[in-house]
Amino acid sequence: MARAYVEPGGEALNGQMIWFDEAKDYGFIRTEDGERLYVDRDGFVDEAPVGRCAGLAVRLSVREQDGRRIAVKVAVVTEQAPRRARRRASGMRGGW
């Protein structure tokens, strides 16, 4: 899972990318509470998404800027694939 960042006095939230325009360097995220937040390229911890990103899970903090709430310290959540079960050898060795 990605690192969770918290703004001073705030808490980290889960959300999903709505869209991000690479040419304009901004996009929008929808939080679990349904709030739509603006995010620019500088708001991402690592790299901004490239290509189609609708529905991409993210972790973010919220900050007030110019009288509106924006997403900051956004990190893409990468889930690890569950491990596959291993086959166990049967206990029937040795020709019963």
Side-chain angles (χ1 to χ4, degrees):
M1 186 187 275
R3 300 168 291 206
Y5 288 91
V6 180
E7 281 289 298
E11 65 180 58
L13 303 171
N14 293 319
Q16 288 187 338
M17 291 298 305
I18 297 173
W19 59 268
F20 188 83
D21 188 325
E22 297 167 48
K24 296 179 182 177
D25 285 341
Y26 75 90
F28 289 92
I29 295 173
R30 181 152 333 266
T31 67
E32 287 180 323
D33 298 333
E35 184 177 11
R36 186 174 183 241
L37 299 171
Y38 170 88
V39 63
D40 61 17
R41 186 171 302 276
D42 294 334
F44 287 89
V45 173
D46 296 320
E47 296 179 4
V50 177
R52 291 185 166 272
C53 65
L56 187 65
V58 293
R59 189 94 169 133
L60 62 121
S61 291
V62 178
R63 177 174 37 193
E64 290 276 335
Q65 181 177 321
D66 300 327
R68 68 179 184 172
R69 291 166 48 92
I70 65 167
V72 294
K73 298 189 178 177
V74 180
V76 175
V77 176
T78 55
E79 294 185 26
Q80 294 179 350
R83 292 182 60 185
R84 290 181 51 186
R86 295 187 335 200
R87 284 186 70 157
R88 297 184 113 169
S90 67
M92 308 269 293
R93 292 188 187 176
W96 278 53

